[in-house]
Amino acid sequence: MARLSDIIEEFIKDMFEENNKGELQIQRNELANYFSCAPSQINYVLTTRFTTEKGYYIESKRGGGGYITIKRVEFNENTSLAEVINEKIGEWITYDKAIKIIEGLLEARIINNREAALMKVAINDRNLGSEFGIRNKIRANILKAMIMVVLSLNV
């Protein structure tokens, strides 16, 4: 059986699909009531499942009913992909953060399952084989290069 966090995540993603605007406004307490859970459970889902690494941006508004706006970052011809990639990855990146970025690209259908699997295995610590201090730098360079190649082939 699915965990409540998974169910809430899928519910919010379904709302995105129905909305079809790339932006969704929800009320945390209303959603918590709907799922008969604490508002902190909604916060948990938002902070762990709708991260910038996965292509989401969250704005919360205090007062006025406590609305939370979730925006999906869309890549288009006006967005410099190199800038986005360099900003998200930077000079170094941990394995966990890299996996979140890959899963975000997969979820946004920018890459497919095969490409995601290849990226994950290429950035794995065992395959990098370098000393601990420079692994994250090597991982960042490999991940940036792979994403740029995949994106240039998908144009």
Side-chain angles (χ1 to χ4, degrees):
M1 183 169 181
R3 293 183 5 212
L4 182 58
S5 297
D6 297 333
I7 294 168
I8 294 169
E9 176 187 11
E10 284 306 311
F11 183 82
I12 293 172
K13 286 180 180 176
D14 288 345
M15 289 174 65
F16 257 111
E17 294 300 319
E18 291 171 13
N19 185 331
N20 203 19
K21 291 184 183 177
E23 183 175 309
L24 183 65
Q25 194 172 59
I26 62 172
Q27 196 170 14
R28 185 181 69 142
N29 290 336
E30 189 176 300
L31 204 54
N33 287 337
Y34 180 82
F35 286 103
S36 300
C37 67
S40 61
Q41 182 74 33
I42 304 301
N43 283 347
Y44 171 79
V45 171
L46 293 175
T47 57
T48 59
R49 312 287 176 95
F50 295 90
T51 63
T52 54
E53 290 87 6
K54 292 184 178 184
Y56 295 95
Y57 175 73
I58 297 178
E59 296 174 349
S60 59
K61 299 176 183 173
R62 304 262 184 231
Y67 284 95
I68 297 171
T69 303
I70 308 169
K71 296 180 181 180
R72 187 180 300 167
V73 177
E74 298 290 337
F75 296 104
N76 59 42
E77 62 276 357
N78 298 325
T79 305
S80 168
L81 292 173
E83 287 177 26
V84 172
I85 290 166
N86 284 324
E87 179 183 316
K88 296 286 183 205
I89 298 172
E91 292 295 315
W92 62 273
I93 190 167
T94 64
Y95 179 75
D96 290 338
K97 188 173 179 187
I99 292 298
K100 288 179 182 176
I101 290 172
I102 293 168
E103 289 173 352
L105 292 169
L106 180 61
E107 185 177 309
R109 295 185 180 109
I110 294 171
I111 62 174
N112 62 35
N113 286 325
R114 184 175 184 201
E115 293 162 340
L118 288 169
M119 288 179 180
K120 288 177 183 179
V121 74
I123 62 164
N124 188 299
D125 283 347
R126 286 178 287 183
N127 296 325
L128 295 178
S130 298
E131 66 181 70
F132 182 75
I134 63 171
R135 258 189 225 147
N136 289 342
K137 185 172 177 58
I138 294 170
R139 182 182 350 268
N141 290 334
I142 291 171
L143 184 59
K144 284 190 263 187
M146 287 189 298
I147 292 172
M148 291 302 287
V149 167
V150 168
L151 292 176
S152 67
L153 295 174
N154 289 338
V155 173

